[in-house]
Amino acid sequence: VYDLGARVHSNSWGGGDNSYSDRCAQIDYFMWTHPDFLLFASNGNSGPDPGTVHPPATAKNCVSVGATRQAPNQESVAWYSSRGPCADGRRKPTITAPGGDEGLYIFSADNNFSNPPTPTCLLQGLPFMGTSMATPAAAGCALLVRDYLAQGFYPFGLPTGGAGITPSAALVKAMLVNGGHEMGSADEPSQSEGWGRILLDDVLYFSPLDVSELRLEDEATGVSTGEEVAYYYDVDAAAAPLEITLVWTDYPSS
């Protein structure tokens, strides 16, 4: 997939306990060695109990996706959406997106079940709901972020206003986290909604409509022990709140 040019990978599958598995280590290793590749994984449908997130969503570098209910109830986490923490205490999910619930399902492409399946150009609703439906929606948001950067919207908020950017996976993940919309959790980031429901309008800057601007630092070299990199900004605190998000692609664990 990577050799064919894919840089965003959506995975609506998984299972098992909330441990860090061999598959998780493989995912983290691939992302460590391919820093522009961002993988998404469904958090699971074993909620609402805590500690129900399952591999591969328990990997460190992937974007783990929980589910909200469908509109107009998207401000609530779906009851079935698996919760964190992972066995080692890390928060999951990373973010959430609509996954549907009874009576308000998510629609998706539908093929027949012959072998091989034949495209039908139909839609499937009932009974489609789950973090498996939320995950491709989140991956689609990542593609919109990459397209925003590639078309040169950054930093002026206008098409072709700047040079196109080929972002790292960490930068795309940081933008999704920064655009997380808090859904009322008192302790966000929480083990039920992560950093919130993806709302790209909260992070992407478009001129002249938006007040909040966007500044990005995509550090490709990194720092060694004892080193530091400093960034300085002038902030107009009266205009809009300052939100800073730091994301890195980590080395795989054992």
Side-chain angles (χ1 to χ4, degrees):
V1 173
Y2 185 89
D3 292 341
L4 294 176
R7 296 298 180 267
V8 173
H9 195 268
S10 181
N11 298 268
S12 290
W13 58 272
D17 57 20
N18 61 343
S19 65
Y20 185 85
S21 67
D22 290 341
R23 185 63 56 86
C24 294
Q26 293 171 2
I27 288 172
D28 285 339
Y29 179 78
F30 189 88
M31 290 186 62
W32 170 263
T33 55
H34 301 79
D36 57 348
F37 186 80
L38 184 58
L39 186 140
F40 289 74
S42 55
N43 216 53
N45 303 323
S46 301
D49 292 334
T52 50
V53 56
H54 56 54
T58 48
K60 294 189 289 183
N61 295 324
C62 72
V63 176
S64 306
V65 185
T68 73
R69 302 173 66 191
Q70 175 63 300
N73 303 314
Q74 69 271 25
E75 293 301 296
S76 300
V77 177
W79 62 268
Y80 56 78
S81 184
S82 289
R83 270 65 166 174
C86 300
D88 54 23
R90 287 177 294 116
R91 289 188 182 96
K92 292 289 181 175
T94 311
I95 43 80
T96 58
D101 55 351
E102 291 87 348
L104 293 171
Y105 298 100
I106 299 292
F107 283 85
S108 182
D110 177 32
N111 288 338
N112 63 35
F113 292 98
S114 59
N115 189 15
T118 304
T120 62
C121 296
L122 298 178
L123 291 177
Q124 172 70 52
L126 176 73
F128 277 18
M129 66 178 191
T131 58
S132 290
M133 303 303 289
T135 301
C141 288
L143 293 173
L144 291 175
V145 168
R146 288 183 60 91
D147 190 58
Y148 174 93
L149 297 175
Q151 291 193 39
F153 277 90
Y154 179 80
F156 303 110
L158 299 168
T160 67
I165 295 175
T166 301
S168 68
L171 177 59
V172 175
K173 184 177 179 180
M175 294 176 72
L176 296 180
V177 168
N178 189 273
H181 172 68
E182 183 175 344
M183 296 185 291
S185 173
D187 58 346
E188 189 190 51
S190 72
Q191 302 288 5
S192 59
E193 66 181 65
W195 273 263
R197 176 171 59 85
I198 293 179
L199 193 59
L200 291 185
D201 192 44
D202 282 0
V203 65
L204 301 184
Y205 170 64
F206 294 98
S207 179
L209 301 176
D210 292 333
V211 174
S212 299
E213 296 186 7
L214 175 66
R215 291 294 179 266
L216 305 175
E217 303 291 348
D218 203 0
E219 176 56 56
T221 303
V223 293
S224 299
T225 302
E227 294 181 337
E228 66 178 32
V229 176
Y231 301 99
Y232 298 92
Y233 298 97
D234 292 324
V235 179
D236 182 1
L242 174 65
E243 297 181 359
I244 299 175
T245 303
L246 172 66
V247 170
W248 64 93
T249 299
D250 208 8
Y251 192 74
S253 185
S254 59

PDB file of all heavy atoms in Angstrom, residues 147-166 205:
ATOM      1  N   ASP A 147      -4.772  17.393   2.001  1.00  0.00           N
ATOM      2  CA  ASP A 147      -5.117  18.155   0.801  1.00  0.00           C
ATOM      3  C   ASP A 147      -5.037  19.655   1.062  1.00  0.00           C
ATOM      4  O   ASP A 147      -4.570  20.419   0.205  1.00  0.00           O
ATOM      5  CB  ASP A 147      -6.520  17.759   0.335  1.00  0.00           C
ATOM      6  CG  ASP A 147      -6.852  18.315  -1.028  1.00  0.00           C
ATOM      7  OD1 ASP A 147      -6.094  18.016  -1.979  1.00  0.00           O
ATOM      8  OD2 ASP A 147      -7.857  19.030  -1.164  1.00  0.00           O
ATOM      9  N   TYR A 148      -5.484  20.079   2.236  1.00  0.00           N
ATOM     10  CA  TYR A 148      -5.383  21.488   2.636  1.00  0.00           C
ATOM     11  C   TYR A 148      -3.928  21.961   2.568  1.00  0.00           C
ATOM     12  O   TYR A 148      -3.625  23.038   2.034  1.00  0.00           O
ATOM     13  CB  TYR A 148      -5.945  21.630   4.046  1.00  0.00           C
ATOM     14  CG  TYR A 148      -5.797  22.996   4.692  1.00  0.00           C
ATOM     15  CD1 TYR A 148      -6.802  23.951   4.600  1.00  0.00           C
ATOM     16  CD2 TYR A 148      -4.653  23.305   5.441  1.00  0.00           C
ATOM     17  CE1 TYR A 148      -6.672  25.188   5.217  1.00  0.00           C
ATOM     18  CE2 TYR A 148      -4.517  24.535   6.056  1.00  0.00           C
ATOM     19  CZ  TYR A 148      -5.529  25.479   5.941  1.00  0.00           C
ATOM     20  OH  TYR A 148      -5.384  26.695   6.555  1.00  0.00           O
ATOM     21  N   LEU A 149      -3.031  21.151   3.092  1.00  0.00           N
ATOM     22  CA  LEU A 149      -1.617  21.518   3.108  1.00  0.00           C
ATOM     23  C   LEU A 149      -1.005  21.430   1.712  1.00  0.00           C
ATOM     24  O   LEU A 149      -0.203  22.278   1.316  1.00  0.00           O
ATOM     25  CB  LEU A 149      -0.863  20.622   4.079  1.00  0.00           C
ATOM     26  CG  LEU A 149      -1.290  20.726   5.547  1.00  0.00           C
ATOM     27  CD1 LEU A 149      -0.549  19.701   6.396  1.00  0.00           C
ATOM     28  CD2 LEU A 149      -1.069  22.133   6.087  1.00  0.00           C
ATOM     29  N   ALA A 150      -1.375  20.400   0.956  1.00  0.00           N
ATOM     30  CA  ALA A 150      -0.802  20.209  -0.377  1.00  0.00           C
ATOM     31  C   ALA A 150      -1.207  21.335  -1.328  1.00  0.00           C
ATOM     32  O   ALA A 150      -0.426  21.729  -2.211  1.00  0.00           O
ATOM     33  CB  ALA A 150      -1.239  18.857  -0.948  1.00  0.00           C
ATOM     34  N   GLN A 151      -2.425  21.857  -1.174  1.00  0.00           N
ATOM     35  CA  GLN A 151      -2.908  22.908  -2.066  1.00  0.00           C
ATOM     36  C   GLN A 151      -2.397  24.296  -1.694  1.00  0.00           C
ATOM     37  O   GLN A 151      -2.689  25.261  -2.390  1.00  0.00           O
ATOM     38  CB  GLN A 151      -4.435  22.921  -2.095  1.00  0.00           C
ATOM     39  CG  GLN A 151      -5.060  21.722  -2.779  1.00  0.00           C
ATOM     40  CD  GLN A 151      -6.531  21.933  -3.066  1.00  0.00           C
ATOM     41  OE1 GLN A 151      -6.950  23.027  -3.448  1.00  0.00           O
ATOM     42  NE2 GLN A 151      -7.321  20.889  -2.885  1.00  0.00           N
ATOM     43  N   GLY A 152      -1.633  24.393  -0.631  1.00  0.00           N
ATOM     44  CA  GLY A 152      -1.033  25.672  -0.275  1.00  0.00           C
ATOM     45  C   GLY A 152      -1.911  26.607   0.512  1.00  0.00           C
ATOM     46  O   GLY A 152      -1.665  27.822   0.542  1.00  0.00           O
ATOM     47  N   PHE A 153      -2.948  26.079   1.199  1.00  0.00           N
ATOM     48  CA  PHE A 153      -3.773  26.937   2.052  1.00  0.00           C
ATOM     49  C   PHE A 153      -2.989  27.485   3.236  1.00  0.00           C
ATOM     50  O   PHE A 153      -3.347  28.532   3.783  1.00  0.00           O
ATOM     51  CB  PHE A 153      -4.999  26.168   2.548  1.00  0.00           C
ATOM     52  CG  PHE A 153      -6.141  26.144   1.581  1.00  0.00           C
ATOM     53  CD1 PHE A 153      -6.250  25.129   0.644  1.00  0.00           C
ATOM     54  CD2 PHE A 153      -7.110  27.134   1.597  1.00  0.00           C
ATOM     55  CE1 PHE A 153      -7.312  25.110  -0.244  1.00  0.00           C
ATOM     56  CE2 PHE A 153      -8.162  27.127   0.715  1.00  0.00           C
ATOM     57  CZ  PHE A 153      -8.266  26.111  -0.220  1.00  0.00           C
ATOM     58  N   TYR A 154      -1.967  26.769   3.658  1.00  0.00           N
ATOM     59  CA  TYR A 154      -1.165  27.228   4.790  1.00  0.00           C
ATOM     60  C   TYR A 154      -0.028  28.105   4.284  1.00  0.00           C
ATOM     61  O   TYR A 154       0.613  27.772   3.293  1.00  0.00           O
ATOM     62  CB  TYR A 154      -0.594  26.034   5.563  1.00  0.00           C
ATOM     63  CG  TYR A 154       0.266  26.445   6.733  1.00  0.00           C
ATOM     64  CD1 TYR A 154      -0.321  26.824   7.927  1.00  0.00           C
ATOM     65  CD2 TYR A 154       1.647  26.495   6.618  1.00  0.00           C
ATOM     66  CE1 TYR A 154       0.450  27.229   8.997  1.00  0.00           C
ATOM     67  CE2 TYR A 154       2.431  26.886   7.687  1.00  0.00           C
ATOM     68  CZ  TYR A 154       1.834  27.261   8.871  1.00  0.00           C
ATOM     69  OH  TYR A 154       2.603  27.666   9.931  1.00  0.00           O
ATOM     70  N   PRO A 155       0.274  29.242   4.895  1.00  0.00           N
ATOM     71  CA  PRO A 155      -0.264  29.743   6.170  1.00  0.00           C
ATOM     72  C   PRO A 155      -1.322  30.832   6.031  1.00  0.00           C
ATOM     73  O   PRO A 155      -1.822  31.325   7.026  1.00  0.00           O
ATOM     74  CB  PRO A 155       0.986  30.328   6.817  1.00  0.00           C
ATOM     75  CG  PRO A 155       1.739  30.909   5.657  1.00  0.00           C
ATOM     76  CD  PRO A 155       1.501  29.957   4.497  1.00  0.00           C
ATOM     77  N   PHE A 156      -1.658  31.213   4.785  1.00  0.00           N
ATOM     78  CA  PHE A 156      -2.492  32.407   4.608  1.00  0.00           C
ATOM     79  C   PHE A 156      -3.985  32.106   4.541  1.00  0.00           C
ATOM     80  O   PHE A 156      -4.800  33.022   4.479  1.00  0.00           O
ATOM     81  CB  PHE A 156      -2.048  33.160   3.350  1.00  0.00           C
ATOM     82  CG  PHE A 156      -0.601  33.552   3.365  1.00  0.00           C
ATOM     83  CD1 PHE A 156       0.308  32.945   2.523  1.00  0.00           C
ATOM     84  CD2 PHE A 156      -0.140  34.517   4.249  1.00  0.00           C
ATOM     85  CE1 PHE A 156       1.642  33.295   2.536  1.00  0.00           C
ATOM     86  CE2 PHE A 156       1.193  34.875   4.272  1.00  0.00           C
ATOM     87  CZ  PHE A 156       2.099  34.256   3.425  1.00  0.00           C
ATOM     88  N   GLY A 157      -4.356  30.824   4.520  1.00  0.00           N
ATOM     89  CA  GLY A 157      -5.763  30.477   4.501  1.00  0.00           C
ATOM     90  C   GLY A 157      -6.422  30.634   3.155  1.00  0.00           C
ATOM     91  O   GLY A 157      -7.654  30.656   3.057  1.00  0.00           O
ATOM     92  N   LEU A 158      -5.624  30.721   2.096  1.00  0.00           N
ATOM     93  CA  LEU A 158      -6.132  30.888   0.745  1.00  0.00           C
ATOM     94  C   LEU A 158      -5.537  29.818  -0.163  1.00  0.00           C
ATOM     95  O   LEU A 158      -4.369  29.430   0.018  1.00  0.00           O
ATOM     96  CB  LEU A 158      -5.776  32.275   0.191  1.00  0.00           C
ATOM     97  CG  LEU A 158      -6.330  33.482   0.966  1.00  0.00           C
ATOM     98  CD1 LEU A 158      -5.651  34.753   0.488  1.00  0.00           C
ATOM     99  CD2 LEU A 158      -7.835  33.569   0.807  1.00  0.00           C
ATOM    100  N   PRO A 159      -6.283  29.325  -1.154  1.00  0.00           N
ATOM    101  CA  PRO A 159      -5.715  28.323  -2.065  1.00  0.00           C
ATOM    102  C   PRO A 159      -4.518  28.889  -2.814  1.00  0.00           C
ATOM    103  O   PRO A 159      -4.557  30.022  -3.296  1.00  0.00           O
ATOM    104  CB  PRO A 159      -6.875  27.989  -3.005  1.00  0.00           C
ATOM    105  CG  PRO A 159      -7.796  29.168  -2.912  1.00  0.00           C
ATOM    106  CD  PRO A 159      -7.657  29.693  -1.525  1.00  0.00           C
ATOM    107  N   THR A 160      -3.460  28.114  -2.877  1.00  0.00           N
ATOM    108  CA  THR A 160      -2.194  28.499  -3.510  1.00  0.00           C
ATOM    109  C   THR A 160      -1.600  29.751  -2.876  1.00  0.00           C
ATOM    110  O   THR A 160      -0.803  30.443  -3.485  1.00  0.00           O
ATOM    111  CB  THR A 160      -2.349  28.704  -5.030  1.00  0.00           C
ATOM    112  OG1 THR A 160      -3.185  29.865  -5.281  1.00  0.00           O
ATOM    113  CG2 THR A 160      -2.964  27.496  -5.687  1.00  0.00           C
ATOM    114  N   GLY A 161      -2.022  30.056  -1.637  1.00  0.00           N
ATOM    115  CA  GLY A 161      -1.464  31.212  -0.953  1.00  0.00           C
ATOM    116  C   GLY A 161      -0.050  30.970  -0.469  1.00  0.00           C
ATOM    117  O   GLY A 161       0.725  31.896  -0.267  1.00  0.00           O
ATOM    118  N   GLY A 162       0.294  29.698  -0.263  1.00  0.00           N
ATOM    119  CA  GLY A 162       1.636  29.349   0.173  1.00  0.00           C
ATOM    120  C   GLY A 162       2.132  28.146  -0.601  1.00  0.00           C
ATOM    121  O   GLY A 162       1.426  27.589  -1.451  1.00  0.00           O
ATOM    122  N   ALA A 163       3.359  27.767  -0.321  1.00  0.00           N
ATOM    123  CA  ALA A 163       3.910  26.584  -0.968  1.00  0.00           C
ATOM    124  C   ALA A 163       3.257  25.339  -0.389  1.00  0.00           C
ATOM    125  O   ALA A 163       2.922  25.290   0.793  1.00  0.00           O
ATOM    126  CB  ALA A 163       5.426  26.529  -0.766  1.00  0.00           C
ATOM    127  N   GLY A 164       3.029  24.338  -1.228  1.00  0.00           N
ATOM    128  CA  GLY A 164       2.448  23.104  -0.742  1.00  0.00           C
ATOM    129  C   GLY A 164       3.350  22.411   0.255  1.00  0.00           C
ATOM    130  O   GLY A 164       4.574  22.486   0.183  1.00  0.00           O
ATOM    131  N   ILE A 165       2.737  21.732   1.233  1.00  0.00           N
ATOM    132  CA  ILE A 165       3.467  21.038   2.286  1.00  0.00           C
ATOM    133  C   ILE A 165       3.151  19.548   2.212  1.00  0.00           C
ATOM    134  O   ILE A 165       2.002  19.161   2.059  1.00  0.00           O
ATOM    135  CB  ILE A 165       3.067  21.574   3.674  1.00  0.00           C
ATOM    136  CG1 ILE A 165       3.486  23.039   3.826  1.00  0.00           C
ATOM    137  CG2 ILE A 165       3.672  20.730   4.792  1.00  0.00           C
ATOM    138  CD1 ILE A 165       3.018  23.656   5.133  1.00  0.00           C
ATOM    139  N   THR A 166       4.195  18.738   2.307  1.00  0.00           N
ATOM    140  CA  THR A 166       4.016  17.293   2.469  1.00  0.00           C
ATOM    141  C   THR A 166       4.232  16.981   3.947  1.00  0.00           C
ATOM    142  O   THR A 166       5.361  16.958   4.422  1.00  0.00           O
ATOM    143  CB  THR A 166       5.010  16.498   1.615  1.00  0.00           C
ATOM    144  OG1 THR A 166       4.826  16.848   0.239  1.00  0.00           O
ATOM    145  CG2 THR A 166       4.788  15.005   1.788  1.00  0.00           C
ATOM    146  N   TYR A 205      -7.432  26.962   8.987  1.00  0.00           N
ATOM    147  CA  TYR A 205      -7.620  28.414   8.882  1.00  0.00           C
ATOM    148  C   TYR A 205      -7.973  28.801   7.448  1.00  0.00           C
ATOM    149  O   TYR A 205      -7.273  28.426   6.503  1.00  0.00           O
ATOM    150  CB  TYR A 205      -6.343  29.135   9.321  1.00  0.00           C
ATOM    151  CG  TYR A 205      -6.350  30.620   9.032  1.00  0.00           C
ATOM    152  CD1 TYR A 205      -7.271  31.460   9.648  1.00  0.00           C
ATOM    153  CD2 TYR A 205      -5.436  31.176   8.142  1.00  0.00           C
ATOM    154  CE1 TYR A 205      -7.279  32.826   9.395  1.00  0.00           C
ATOM    155  CE2 TYR A 205      -5.429  32.537   7.879  1.00  0.00           C
ATOM    156  CZ  TYR A 205      -6.362  33.354   8.501  1.00  0.00           C
ATOM    157  OH  TYR A 205      -6.369  34.700   8.242  1.00  0.00           O
TER     158      TYR A 205
END
